[in-house]
Amino acid sequence: MNKVLVVEDLAEVRDWLADISRTVFPGIEVTAVGRADEGQACAATVRPFDLALVDLGLPDGSGIEVVRALRRHQPQCLPVVVTIYDDDEHLFPALQAGAFGYLLKEQPREVLEAQLLRIASGEPPLAPSIARRVLSFFGQNRAVPAPLVPPADAEPEVRLTAQELVVLQRVAKGFTLPEIAQQLGLSRHTIAEHVKNIYRKLDVSSRAEATLEAARRGLVR
Amino acid sequence: MAGAIRKKPTEAHAARRSPPHSRGWFAGHPGYSATVSHPARPLLSVVRWLALWLALGTLPHALAETLTLRQAELVVPGQAPRTVALPHAWDEGLAAFEGVAEYRMRFDRPAGDGLLAVYVPRACSVLEIFVNGQLVGASGALQPPYARNCYYPQLFSLPRPLLQAQGNELRVRLAGHAWGEAATRQRSSQLSAVSVGPLAELQEQYDSRYFWNITAAQIISTCLLGFGLALFALWLARRRDRYMLYFALFTMGWAALTARLFTRAAFPSHWLTEAFLCVAFFPVVSCAMVFLVRLLGRRWRWMDQGLALQCVVFVLVVAFTPHARLLQVSTALYAIGSLEFLAVVVAFLALSWRTHRTDFWLIGAVLVHSIVLLALEMLQQYEVLPLPRVTLGHFTMPLVFGAIAVRLIQLFVRALAQAETLNRELEQRVVVKSQEIERNWQQIAELRTAQAAQDERRRIASDLHDDLGAQLLTILQASQRGGEPDRVAGMARQALEEMRLSVRGMTGHVTAAEEALADWRAETVTRLSDAGLQPEWTAEEPPPGLILPARVHVQLTRILREAVSNAIRHSGGTRCAVRIRFEAGQLHLEVQDDGRGLQSGGTRRGHGLPNIERRVRNLGGEHRFAAPPGAGTLLIVRVPLFSPEPRAQEAS
């Protein structure tokens, strides 16, 4: 982790986030901006970021746009949404846009640092409400083993594997990832890998969906 | 109409001129065709028929070369020959006679050399005509049962070679029933004046009489039948209008009665036929009377029953009448019927005048007309007026019927239009009403929404005051007194959490109990694990489809969170068990730790306890702390799942 982009409108919180980043990744170069358009402009710059901490509620728009711009211009960047909203109505669109995890602002600094480290190492968090949304998004919110019927909107190839489905269903029931690892007799690493894949598929399928929608509207041929 | 009939081809003419029962040899006469080809004839006939119409058929016809014989010598078996005037009805000296009477006349050969003919306008019932001993024609056999020819005129050609210049003898042998055995004078035995003259002139008289008495009757009868059937069909379509039915019956009955003029069909016995014609009149007239009453929208039951009874009584009366008295009796009965009809007409006119019926003048005129006609008929029956050449009523009646039928159809159409209008109005009213209902419903829904929003606002206000306000106040106090930053931060964090929960409640969307349990489990297990306590989660499956109201969900989340926080911060134990079950519309929550317990240790159990207490109370539930000695703390909470409406005083 060499470069981090912090997009947050409140100066105090911005500094705090920059501080946390430096603590977690010593020697990291922080670029901090306060507006969505600035964030998008940064995303379009040549020098790539490794990490981005993006607030959702920005004065000139949503952080989701910044996440999207980052995914478009810098696919190797790891966008993380930092928000005060913890409900899936706010989080799920961000995850669909390509965010690879989320942090809730009010948590104690140590917790935040630990979570950020976990996300960076490829273990994004997954709350039951988000899991439910993901399940219904993939249209596979059915009894296991689900007959994997492709949903109408998503690309047929973007599908959850049976294992991923099981993980999601257990998360949706309120089991924690370590518990699931234990239940399935898998390593925490494997479970984290599944979760990462789920995030990725969410991003890919939503982009495929966007492409489809664009084609439908005649924007792309 | 007249012209059209006159223009018929010669064959048709010839056929009509020769009645089916005549036995004359005239039809094949070579010189005949000359008589029908006069160029001006169609026009003339139209003019003459118009004149005839105007003269109502009663004016005598004066024809130049025709000889009308108005005197005859009557020869009847068993009686001395005597001279009688023609027309001669058998009530003059032959009242009881039944059989063949012979009328002898003498005449000189008419001048000129055209074809000659004998014309008898009325002969009841059948006749044979001999000229100088030679049979020239007959209208039927002189044996009973006699053909019913009374309304048919008779015309026979007269071969000129039979005639001498002077003193020719004309014998009319007339067979008839005894006087009084017919129901009307028109059908009683009689002989009109006999005309001898040029065939051309007599032919015209014959044709005209035939047309008015027979053809017109046929046309009229057919028309009436049509009217009757049409009105009957209308009545079938709209049974409520009973007057339509009675008029239809009247019209059809009249059509049937009119058939007596041209039909020769009869019952086997003359008497039976006449009796039937007599009594059949009354049901028909009764229908007319009932019709008038119903047209006024009234129903006089006594009249209906009286008329029905009268019909039966009249049948009996006629049945027990001596044959020879039928004419007298039927004349009396007709008079009664006519007077009744007159009375009903007067009543009708009076009532419709009083009720300002719009059709008073039309129906009134029609009725007066029919009364006049009826009066004429009655006067003829009573011999006050001579029998006319053409019976006026026969062809003016259709006008009466037509007028009334048109009026009835107009009424029908009006009723139909009215029904349609009503229907349309009703439809419009329904539309308006349903719009109103929709509006009302919308208003109610809006009110309900407003009420729900109001309740929600009240809840949020109470949340903000009780929870967030209190915590911010605590933070304020703590920071002013220079409290430790960590403690202040913790309090602020808690305030944020409170706010988030309030906001979640504010979005107002309900949560499935299953999902709430999953959320609670994830949070609780994660927190306990992170804090180094062994979590133990036992949750019963919620009833399928159970929904937690936002308020219950938010408050339970807080209660659980507080209880777990207490276990983490203050119990000092190593395990924490959470048990949830659903029972009888209530949610049972138990949080148990294996720590110090409530009594042991002097430390206060944090701010959580009063908060838990308040929240449980707010939900209308109950809670208690059980502290088994040496076995940690057990919090038992029971809240109803369907919380009562928040109390109003909470907001104030």
Side-chain angles (χ1 to χ4, degrees):
Chain A
M1 294 288 166
N2 297 320
K3 276 181 71 72
V4 62
L5 173 65
V6 175
V7 187
E8 163 66 58
D9 53 331
L10 297 174
E12 296 268 331
V13 182
R14 193 161 60 224
D15 292 347
W16 182 60
L17 286 176
D19 212 28
I20 288 176
S21 308
R22 286 195 198 94
T23 313
V24 176
F25 309 107
I28 199 166
E29 188 188 328
V30 177
T31 308
V33 297
R35 295 170 59 83
D37 51 1
E38 287 170 354
Q40 280 168 282
C42 285
T45 54
V46 192
R47 278 196 60 193
F49 293 101
D50 301 304
L51 179 69
L53 302 180
V54 184
D55 183 25
L56 281 184
L58 293 169
D60 62 332
S62 170
I64 290 178
E65 293 307 317
V66 181
V67 173
R68 216 166 264 148
L70 281 169
R71 291 301 298 160
R72 193 160 57 242
H73 297 297
Q74 310 192 8
Q76 81 295 336
C77 177
L78 196 64
V80 175
V81 170
V82 186
T83 176
I84 199 156
Y85 304 108
D86 76 332
D87 53 310
D88 52 328
E89 277 92 346
H90 284 90
L91 286 178
F92 191 73
L95 300 186
Q96 270 192 297
F100 197 66
Y102 54 90
L103 299 173
L104 298 180
K105 278 178 190 173
E106 85 277 9
Q107 296 182 88
R109 180 170 179 145
E110 316 83 70
V111 178
L112 268 183
E113 285 174 0
Q115 283 187 349
L116 186 56
L117 200 58
R118 248 189 279 173
I119 293 172
S121 65
E123 275 187 62
L126 190 57
S129 60
I130 301 291
R132 287 194 290 268
R133 282 293 290 261
V134 175
L135 280 172
S136 76
F137 175 75
F138 281 103
Q140 293 172 339
N141 195 3
R142 296 194 181 90
V144 218
L148 301 180
V149 183
D153 295 288
E155 279 286 296
E157 57 265 31
V158 183
R159 315 170 48 82
L160 299 177
T161 65
Q163 281 271 0
E164 288 159 6
L165 207 56
V166 171
V167 171
L168 269 178
Q169 280 163 342
R170 300 215 170 182
V171 171
K173 283 199 173 125
F175 294 106
T176 60
L177 292 180
E179 282 179 313
I180 297 168
Q182 208 184 353
Q183 288 165 1
L184 299 182
L186 297 170
S187 70
R188 281 190 65 160
H189 178 72
T190 314
I191 295 294
E193 207 49 46
H194 285 322
V195 174
K196 226 158 50 177
N197 281 337
I198 290 168
Y199 269 75
R200 213 169 283 138
K201 284 179 180 176
L202 199 58
D203 175 28
V204 169
S205 72
S206 67
R207 265 188 292 161
E209 197 181 335
T211 313
L212 264 181
E213 181 63 25
R216 239 177 264 137
R217 291 185 188 177
L219 300 176
V220 179
R221 300 250 165 214
Chain B
M1 181 168 73
I5 286 172
R6 298 308 297 219
K7 278 178 218 157
K8 272 190 175 176
T10 319
E11 293 81 14
H13 219 122
R16 183 146 48 81
R17 190 185 308 125
S18 158
H21 288 263
S22 91
R23 282 186 262 145
W25 47 273
F26 148 82
H29 196 279
Y32 170 67
S33 61
T35 61
V36 288
S37 55
H38 194 282
R41 213 172 142 167
L43 184 66
L44 274 179
S45 67
V46 168
V47 170
R48 201 186 57 243
W49 281 34
L50 273 176
L52 185 80
W53 178 270
L54 290 174
L56 295 173
T58 50
L59 295 179
H61 250 47
L63 293 168
E65 294 170 43
T66 296
L67 204 60
T68 302
L69 307 173
R70 300 187 183 280
Q71 251 190 1
E73 191 185 10
L74 177 62
V75 182
V76 178
Q79 287 187 17
R82 59 194 168 95
T83 304
V84 293
L86 294 181
H88 176 244
W90 282 16
D91 60 334
E92 293 166 32
L94 275 183
F97 178 76
E98 173 159 6
V100 180
E102 194 170 290
Y103 295 86
R104 291 180 186 165
M105 290 153 267
R106 297 216 162 255
F107 67 98
D108 296 338
R109 183 172 61 196
D113 54 359
L115 290 167
L116 295 176
V118 181
Y119 170 56
V120 184
R122 177 187 291 274
C124 222
S125 294
V126 286
L127 52 61
E128 281 177 349
I129 292 181
F130 294 84
V131 173
N132 291 337
Q134 285 279 340
L135 178 70
V136 295
S139 66
L142 297 193
Q143 307 293 327
Y146 306 125
R148 298 184 60 79
N149 274 333
C150 295
Y151 295 100
Y152 282 86
Q154 307 290 341
L155 179 73
F156 308 102
S157 70
L158 192 57
R160 200 171 271 275
L162 273 180
L163 299 183
Q164 302 148 7
Q166 288 181 331
N168 296 295
E169 184 206 44
L170 179 73
R171 277 194 296 148
V172 176
R173 286 166 59 79
L174 181 71
H177 298 279
W179 182 262
E181 285 191 15
T184 66
R185 278 190 72 221
Q186 294 185 2
R187 289 194 301 278
S188 298
S189 302
Q190 58 191 287
L191 181 70
S192 63
V194 179
S195 299
V196 178
L199 177 65
E201 285 179 5
L202 292 177
Q203 180 76 51
E204 282 176 24
Q205 286 193 35
Y206 169 83
D207 282 349
S208 120
R209 192 172 173 98
Y210 188 93
F211 175 81
W212 289 112
N213 278 357
I214 306 298
T215 312
Q218 284 167 342
I219 293 168
I220 286 158
S221 184
T222 313
C223 288
L224 287 182
L225 196 64
F227 275 145
L229 287 174
L231 288 168
F232 188 75
L234 278 188
W235 172 75
L236 281 180
R238 193 179 147 88
R239 302 272 175 104
R240 222 178 54 196
D241 294 340
R242 288 297 282 261
Y243 60 81
M244 206 79 97
L245 169 69
Y246 287 109
F247 189 73
L249 290 177
F250 172 49
T251 312
M252 289 189 285
W254 198 267
L257 287 181
T258 305
R260 77 189 184 274
L261 300 181
F262 54 84
T263 182
R264 288 191 174 96
F267 293 109
S269 130
H270 170 71
W271 178 83
L272 198 57
T273 308
E274 287 299 324
F276 173 77
L277 285 177
C278 172
V279 297
F281 174 77
F282 294 99
V284 174
V285 175
S286 297
C287 281
M289 290 190 271
V290 175
F291 155 71
L292 285 176
V293 173
R294 293 291 167 92
L295 187 61
L296 283 176
R298 314 211 173 196
R299 188 177 174 198
W300 296 333
R301 203 176 284 272
W302 55 267
M303 190 180 105
D304 298 356
Q305 289 168 349
L307 287 175
L309 186 67
Q310 175 177 276
C311 290
V312 175
V313 168
F314 283 4
V315 169
L316 293 176
V317 166
V318 169
F320 289 105
T321 299
H323 291 196
R325 291 197 167 271
L326 182 62
L327 181 61
Q328 276 175 307
V329 169
S330 67
T331 302
L333 296 187
Y334 284 148
I336 293 172
S338 303
L339 286 176
E340 282 172 358
F341 184 67
L342 183 67
V344 169
V345 165
V346 169
F348 175 86
L349 290 181
L351 279 173
S352 68
W353 176 258
R354 219 186 301 155
T355 53
H356 302 285
R357 276 184 72 93
T358 48
D359 48 6
F360 173 82
W361 293 110
L362 173 78
I363 305 258
V366 163
L367 288 176
V368 167
H369 178 80
S370 59
I371 289 287
V372 169
L373 288 180
L374 207 59
L376 283 176
E377 294 271 336
M378 288 311 296
L379 290 176
Q380 287 161 18
Q381 185 84 350
Y382 277 104
E383 283 194 85
V384 177
L385 285 181
L387 286 181
R389 288 183 58 232
V390 172
T391 310
L392 197 60
H394 294 170
F395 56 90
T396 48
M397 273 317 270
L399 294 179
V400 174
F401 284 105
I404 293 182
V406 164
R407 173 64 192 160
L408 288 188
I409 289 169
Q410 195 189 1
L411 283 178
F412 186 84
V413 168
R414 192 174 296 167
L416 207 66
Q418 219 167 17
E420 275 171 10
T421 312
L422 270 179
N423 224 4
R424 251 199 313 276
E425 277 173 14
L426 200 66
E427 250 170 46
Q428 266 171 356
R429 237 181 297 162
V430 165
V431 166
V432 168
K433 275 280 168 213
S434 52
Q435 276 171 351
E436 212 169 282
I437 288 168
E438 213 169 296
R439 240 191 337 266
N440 284 348
W441 194 84
Q442 256 175 2
Q443 276 173 352
I444 288 170
E446 275 166 22
L447 277 180
R448 222 175 260 165
T449 313
Q451 179 68 41
Q454 177 73 20
D455 291 346
E456 193 62 11
R457 272 197 290 277
R458 210 174 282 158
R459 182 189 69 75
I460 293 161
S462 118
D463 277 1
L464 291 180
H465 269 133
D466 294 355
D467 301 338
L468 203 54
Q471 276 172 0
L472 287 176
L473 209 62
T474 317
I475 293 169
L476 186 68
Q477 300 295 340
S479 58
Q480 272 179 349
R481 274 195 238 122
E484 315 153 36
D486 271 0
R487 216 179 130 235
V488 176
M491 286 192 279
R493 209 166 283 129
Q494 218 176 348
L496 263 175
E497 253 174 42
E498 286 294 340
M499 186 206 67
R500 179 175 298 139
L501 279 172
S502 287
V503 167
R504 180 175 293 172
M506 221 184 302
T507 56
H509 73 94
V510 293
T511 315
E514 210 177 355
E515 296 183 356
L517 280 181
D519 291 345
W520 291 339
R521 186 188 195 285
E523 183 185 313
T524 306
V525 170
T526 306
R527 285 184 68 200
L528 287 172
S529 307
D530 286 355
L533 272 79
Q534 173 75 39
E536 204 175 284
W537 178 273
T538 320
E540 197 184 58
E541 280 284 308
L546 178 68
I547 297 289
L548 292 186
R551 179 182 169 76
V552 175
H553 179 220
V554 167
Q555 295 293 357
L556 274 173
T557 306
R558 284 167 171 169
I559 291 165
L560 180 62
R561 205 172 272 174
E562 300 263 7
V564 170
S565 294
N566 277 339
I568 291 171
R569 284 186 208 135
H570 308 291
S571 75
T574 57
R575 306 154 65 92
C576 179
V578 178
R579 289 180 287 274
I580 294 176
R581 64 179 199 278
F582 297 88
E583 228 177 71
Q586 287 190 322
L587 186 145
H588 293 253
L589 167 69
E590 290 178 18
V591 181
Q592 185 173 21
D593 62 55
D594 60 349
R596 282 185 289 273
L598 274 180
Q599 281 97 6
S600 61
T603 47
R604 300 209 14 165
R605 300 300 303 265
H607 312 287
L609 297 189
N611 281 342
I612 289 174
E613 196 178 341
R614 186 164 44 79
R615 287 181 171 135
V616 171
R617 204 182 56 237
N618 272 353
L619 288 179
E622 51 190 38
H623 81 295
R624 75 192 157 88
F625 283 100
T633 310
L634 172 60
L635 167 67
I636 301 173
V637 172
R638 200 160 60 230
V639 294
L641 284 174
F642 307 100
S643 64
E645 288 297 301
R647 282 156 293 173
Q649 59 264 38
E650 254 184 17
S652 52

